[in-house]
Amino acid sequence: AQTVTQSQPEMSVQEAETVTLSCTYDTSESDYYLFWYKQPPSRQMILVIRQEAYKQQNATENRFSVNFQKAAKSFSLKISDSQLGDAAMYFCAYRSDNYGGSQGNLIFGKGTKLSVKP
Amino acid sequence: DVKVTQSSRYLVKRTGEKVFLECVQDMDHENMFWYRQDPGLGLRLIYFSYDVKMKEKGDIPEGYSVSREKKERFSLILESASTNQTSMYLCASSWPHGDRDSPLHFGNGTRLTVT
């Protein structure tokens, strides 16, 4: 079974600085998808960024980028120029590319709570 | 924009009550999911449905059942609520698994307290 581990329960960053959130996963599959979701106090889970395992190029979305290391099974999220609105819980998630079983289900890490200091 | 709507934001129920949590999506998504979110445990899948009247158990189905009579609506049922079911419940929907660009879209969550 696949597992996702976020080793940092809480992180803090100064406004305008850069912060990196860690995520590792365990799988025997070669094709899969990885996601970072953000959950602000409003509780709405928002997709931040996604990465297909078959793509070597790291995904980027504005101030958010990932460092995807397939061999190391690592998928970290870098937030540049941090803003107060980035304060939230961040969840790393894995989705299998297999068609059987829980189709489309995501396996989530336990989350990292990010605080942004003004 | 995809909209996933959960009928209640906060709910307080008594032990033993039958509880219905409703979720509606407006994007004609085939897949719908119910997750439970607890501090320090992340999100855990309770049930999911990949079509009308079709359902499969997730990781923690005990004490729950689901109903999907219409494509846009997915209900989570607690047959006899217990205090250990006090939690945040999140509904999500997505396109079929074959669509590679199909992230989950979430509702705002229902915080259920069972007393």
Side-chain angles (χ1 to χ4, degrees):
Chain A
Q2 296 84 15
T3 58
V4 176
T5 302
Q6 292 178 249
S7 58
Q8 307 150 317
E10 294 188 27
M11 291 280 286
S12 181
V13 63
Q14 204 73 33
E15 197 175 6
E17 297 291 308
T18 295
V19 65
T20 298
L21 307 184
S22 301
C23 173
T24 58
Y25 57 93
D26 188 26
T27 184
S28 58
E29 298 174 335
S30 57
D31 291 326
Y32 47 87
Y33 301 84
L34 297 165
F35 303 84
W36 278 99
Y37 277 87
K38 168 185 176 181
Q39 186 181 40
S42 68
R43 303 185 334 212
Q44 178 77 53
M45 291 278 281
I46 302 164
L47 177 66
V48 175
I49 200 165
R50 77 193 81 173
Q51 175 82 41
E52 294 91 337
Y54 63 88
K55 288 186 178 178
Q56 292 189 339
Q57 187 173 4
N58 288 326
T60 299
E61 287 286 342
N62 300 315
R63 297 182 295 108
F64 298 88
S65 61
V66 299
N67 183 5
F68 173 48
Q69 302 287 329
K70 191 172 184 180
K73 296 179 184 175
S74 171
F75 183 60
S76 61
L77 175 69
K78 186 171 84 171
I79 307 174
S80 304
D81 186 25
S82 297
Q83 300 175 0
L84 295 177
D86 294 333
M89 281 290 288
Y90 286 82
F91 291 95
C92 178
Y94 171 102
R95 194 188 85 191
S96 170
D97 198 26
N98 288 333
Y99 280 73
S102 302
Q103 303 179 36
N105 175 42
L106 298 186
I107 299 167
F108 287 88
K110 294 181 179 180
T112 297
K113 184 177 181 180
L114 178 67
S115 302
V116 180
K117 297 179 181 177
Chain B
D1 263 3
V2 177
K3 193 161 180 67
V4 180
T5 303
Q6 294 184 230
S7 55
S8 302
R9 194 157 172 82
Y10 297 94
L11 212 51
V12 179
K13 295 292 182 180
R14 292 191 180 275
T15 300
E17 276 193 81
K18 189 169 185 176
V19 181
F20 292 86
L21 302 184
E22 306 287 349
C23 175
V24 177
Q25 50 94 2
D26 66 357
M27 277 299 291
D28 205 33
H29 283 164
E30 275 77 1
N31 292 346
M32 295 190 75
F33 306 81
W34 274 107
Y35 289 90
R36 172 175 170 159
Q37 182 180 7
D38 299 288
L41 296 179
L43 280 73
R44 294 177 292 168
L45 181 66
I46 305 172
Y47 266 98
F48 81 100
S49 169
Y50 51 90
D51 204 348
V52 175
K53 297 190 185 295
M54 306 304 288
K55 61 185 180 185
E56 287 202 22
K57 294 179 180 179
D59 299 319
I60 51 166
E62 296 78 18
Y64 303 94
S65 62
V66 290
S67 172
R68 193 164 180 203
E69 296 297 318
K70 293 185 178 180
K71 192 174 185 180
E72 67 271 18
R73 186 180 297 271
F74 191 36
S75 303
L76 180 68
I77 304 158
L78 286 67
E79 294 290 341
S80 178
S82 64
T83 55
N84 62 13
Q85 292 178 310
T86 291
S87 187
M88 172 78 78
Y89 291 87
L90 293 171
C91 175
S93 70
S94 75
W95 295 114
H97 185 74
D99 182 340
R100 291 194 157 204
D101 191 19
S102 58
L104 296 189
H105 299 270
F106 285 87
N108 276 347
T110 296
R111 187 172 294 282
L112 172 68
T113 302
V114 182
T115 60

